[in-house]
Amino acid sequence: EQYKYNGVTTLVDGLKGNENFRSGRWIAWKDNDFEVLIDLKNSTTINEIAVNANVLQRSWLFGARSMQIFTSNDGTYFQLLAEDFYKPMLETDRDGIYEYKLNFPETKARFVKLKVSTEKMLPSWHTGAGSSAFLFVDEITLK
């Protein structure tokens, strides 16, 4: 709740967040996957989707473990278009802003659903091991 800021419009307002996760440019998810539905208003050709995540391990902010994009023309029936899976973060991984991107063959769709998951529990090497990780996301871009 404390990291909702201006809500989902923050994800598509064209303003990218910096490394300060408290700036109001990021929205956080914890204990569940990030899932957002975008209505493009018209059938539109797309071939790429990207989203940024803010990683600051000491503050329990971790990157993505998986990303999926689903498309629909009616908003009811969705088809998985592309997905990717990422390795668990290591203690030696850098903090900062990570971009997660999926490329796929050109597809026409009106509705796009993006789902991103992160660590469900902080790893054994972390001081908060066993607690839930945060996923801080900003700026979804579609091309």
Side-chain angles (χ1 to χ4, degrees):
E1 285 294 316
Q2 71 192 61
Y3 300 115
K4 276 178 143 175
Y5 299 108
N6 291 327
V8 295
T9 58
T10 302
L11 301 173
V12 292
D13 62 6
L15 302 171
K16 292 190 175 190
N18 60 22
E19 292 183 1
N20 178 3
F21 69 92
R22 292 183 178 103
S23 68
R25 302 286 348 124
W26 298 94
I27 299 178
W29 271 257
K30 185 178 180 189
D31 296 321
N32 56 5
D33 294 335
F34 161 67
E35 190 171 311
V36 66
L37 176 63
I38 301 168
D39 181 353
L40 299 172
K41 303 296 184 194
N42 297 301
S43 185
T44 304
T45 301
I46 57 172
N47 67 357
E48 179 183 287
I49 191 166
V51 64
N52 293 329
N54 192 342
V55 173
L56 186 60
Q57 293 182 32
R58 71 179 176 273
S59 294
W60 302 18
L61 284 62
F62 275 63
R65 287 298 311 277
S66 68
M67 184 164 137
Q68 299 173 308
I69 181 174
F70 302 85
T71 57
S72 172
N73 286 308
D74 63 9
T76 302
Y77 300 100
F78 285 84
Q79 178 179 337
L80 176 65
L81 182 60
E83 65 184 337
D84 204 357
F85 300 91
Y86 311 103
K87 295 178 181 177
M89 296 203 83
L90 303 173
E91 190 172 7
T92 55
D93 286 340
R94 69 170 178 82
D95 288 336
I97 298 170
Y98 285 70
E99 180 182 56
Y100 296 94
K101 186 184 298 186
L102 288 174
N103 293 291
F104 41 86
E106 283 192 351
T107 302
K108 280 194 148 208
R110 175 176 169 180
F111 299 93
V112 174
K113 187 184 296 184
L114 178 63
K115 184 176 180 181
V116 181
S117 67
T118 191
E119 300 291 339
K120 299 302 179 211
M121 298 290 185
L122 293 168
S124 59
W125 54 260
H126 195 277
T127 57
S131 297
S132 300
F134 284 95
L135 175 66
F136 272 71
V137 295
D138 181 36
E139 221 48 43
I140 299 168
T141 56
L142 279 166
K143 293 182 181 177

